Amino acid sequence: MRIGVLTGGGDVPGLNAAIRAVARRAFQLDWEVIGIKNGWLGLIEGDMGPLMPDDVSGILHVGGTILGTSRTNPLKEEEDLQRCLKNVDSYGLDALVAIGGDDTLSVAHGLHQRGVKVVGVPKTMDNDVPETDYCIGFDSAVTTVVEALDKLHTTASAHHRAMVVEVMGRYAGWVAVVGGLAGGADFIAIPEVPCTIDEICQHVKDRWARGRRFSIIVVAEGAKFPEVKESEEELGEKDAFGHVRLDRRGIGATVAREIEERTGFESRVVVLGHLQRGGSPTLFDRLLATRLGVAAVDLLKEDKHGYMVAYKGNEVVPVELERIAGRIKEVDLELYELARIFY
Ligand code: F6P
């Protein structure tokens, strides 16, 4: 048996741990492993080569991905899709393991519908892949957010400022809610729950009146405010999956500026950006990536494909890719309400 493995979409800590787990379990079964470079792009271009035991040695704790990644969508152009199908054949790939978020897994589903044996592994720091409690990379990203909030608390309190912290989270506010909850945020704004900048300002003022002369406001990059008029066109070209670049939106800076103008309290913004995707994976992500990677190969061993290996209640279980494709898992509103108790 010869399997191909690829990582697609934004990188996160834990991808190498997952590649290592896929490869090691495959080697144990005497299978060959082909590393496909730069996500689906490598499958289109036939950019791939054998992964040997030495290639996956010493990478468990290393961030990024030894395979590279990209936001390539081979389902967009028929020609790209045909090149993928041809390369699966010509490189003798019996099956694929696709490690990625909702976009990568939707492509995996599309290829599976066209006869390719694929198993998906969920990774995204946004944690918004449906049917799994956790995605690889989320815990590491949120740990970075919590460390940042701890540091920002001291400087915010020393200068009596409102500190707006913009975190990633395009459609779902998992990073903002879990990071804000664990880091003691004084307000959290997320895409799923509408709120106004006025509400935030009022909150900052109320805290000031109670003697709390600083505030930490966590804003997900995808949070929307009725007061902020914007058009997607201003954010430039969309990627192959139709997403605009939210770093160009600068919603954190807008909120900080508005707080200062409306309340008179000094405000600053910190955009955590790609720092959230860097560094070593946490203990949780290493374990998760290892369990999911091995489980993906074990599914293929049973000739099961068209599934994603999901993590549910500390169990690893298979879920059909068709239940994942094109869907997003919104934040758990109970967690959001829990965080609000501490505002
Ligand atoms: O992949 C998800 C994500 O982390 C989003 O939260 C964010 O908008 C995006 O990646 C940024 O990606 P890029 O690396 O292309 O700037």
Side-chain angles (χ1 to χ4, degrees):
M1 181 100 164
R2 176 186 285 176
I3 60 169
V5 57
L6 63 86
T7 51
D11 73 314
V12 292
L15 284 175
N16 283 327
I19 295 166
R20 169 181 176 268
V22 168
R24 286 277 173 85
R25 178 62 178 137
F27 296 152
Q28 197 181 40
L29 298 168
D30 278 331
W31 294 3
E32 273 180 78
V33 182
I34 304 295
I36 301 170
K37 304 281 176 61
N38 304 318
W40 297 116
L41 184 64
L43 194 60
I44 296 174
E45 295 183 339
D47 187 6
M48 58 184 94
L51 277 185
M52 307 308 283
D54 274 358
D55 297 322
V56 295
S57 180
I59 63 169
L60 170 64
H61 64 291
V62 183
T65 158
I66 58 163
L67 295 175
T69 185
S70 70
R71 297 190 187 277
T72 308
N73 181 1
L75 301 183
K76 221 179 150 193
E77 302 286 342
E78 183 59 28
E79 193 191 328
D80 289 343
L81 171 63
Q82 290 310 323
R83 287 174 74 187
C84 281
L85 297 175
K86 188 172 148 276
N87 281 332
V88 167
D89 246 23
S90 48
Y91 284 85
L93 301 175
D94 298 305
L96 300 179
V97 176
I99 308 167
D102 49 320
D103 295 330
T104 305
L105 296 171
S106 293
V107 174
H109 175 54
L111 290 181
H112 185 253
Q113 284 179 313
R114 289 159 179 90
V116 181
K117 294 185 176 180
V118 195
V119 169
V121 176
K123 88 66 225 176
T124 166
M125 61 156 290
D126 290 356
N127 204 38
D128 58 359
V129 171
E131 305 289 339
T132 184
D133 295 345
Y134 284 96
C135 300
I136 298 167
F138 172 67
D139 189 70
S140 303
V142 172
T143 299
T144 296
V145 172
V146 171
E147 283 167 8
L149 293 188
D150 287 351
K151 290 181 178 169
L152 291 170
H153 260 99
T154 54
T155 171
S157 123
H159 283 266
H160 317 296
R161 284 173 174 156
M163 193 66 82
V164 176
V165 187
E166 182 182 312
V167 300
M168 282 187 177
R170 180 178 289 277
Y171 303 115
W174 287 97
V175 175
V177 169
V178 177
L181 180 54
D186 303 307
F187 199 100
I188 301 171
I190 55 171
E192 294 94 329
V193 180
C195 83
T196 62
I197 296 181
D198 255 350
E199 239 174 290
I200 300 178
C201 292
Q202 193 53 52
H203 194 69
V204 171
K205 284 196 263 182
D206 291 349
R207 278 177 54 79
W208 191 279
R210 293 201 311 269
R212 301 271 186 270
R213 295 169 62 198
F214 73 94
S215 293
I216 304 284
I217 316 294
V218 175
V219 177
E221 61 180 355
K224 302 247 177 0
F225 302 94
E227 299 110 312
V228 182
K229 303 286 168 244
E230 47 194 348
S231 80
E232 281 205 340
E233 283 75 65
E234 287 163 18
L235 302 178
E237 256 183 56
K238 293 184 176 166
D239 71 12
F241 292 94
H243 308 307
V244 289
R245 278 185 49 183
L246 293 179
D247 59 330
R248 290 189 171 138
R249 188 171 171 237
I251 192 64
T254 305
V255 172
R257 196 176 50 243
E258 291 292 321
I259 292 174
E260 196 161 287
E261 275 172 19
R262 296 183 199 193
T263 66
F265 299 138
E266 224 190 324
S267 306
R268 293 288 189 272
V269 61
V270 175
V271 180
L272 292 181
H274 294 78
L275 275 178
Q276 297 161 95
R277 302 221 308 246
S280 288
T282 55
L283 157 76
F284 183 86
D285 272 331
R286 293 178 198 204
L287 270 181
L288 180 68
T290 301
R291 290 180 71 184
L292 295 181
V294 167
V297 174
D298 283 342
L299 269 189
L300 291 173
K301 181 169 159 270
E302 291 168 30
D303 201 27
K304 285 195 178 151
H305 36 84
Y307 291 95
M308 177 188 84
V309 282
Y311 182 79
K312 283 187 177 178
N314 204 25
E315 299 270 309
V316 177
V317 292
V319 175
E320 292 87 356
L321 280 172
E322 64 179 5
R323 289 175 55 193
I324 315 262
R327 289 179 52 218
I328 288 289
K329 179 184 70 175
E330 292 195 343
V331 81
D332 178 350
L333 290 178
E334 271 183 35
L335 274 183
Y336 177 74
E337 288 305 325
L338 184 68
R340 279 164 61 89
I341 295 174
F342 302 94
Y343 279 10

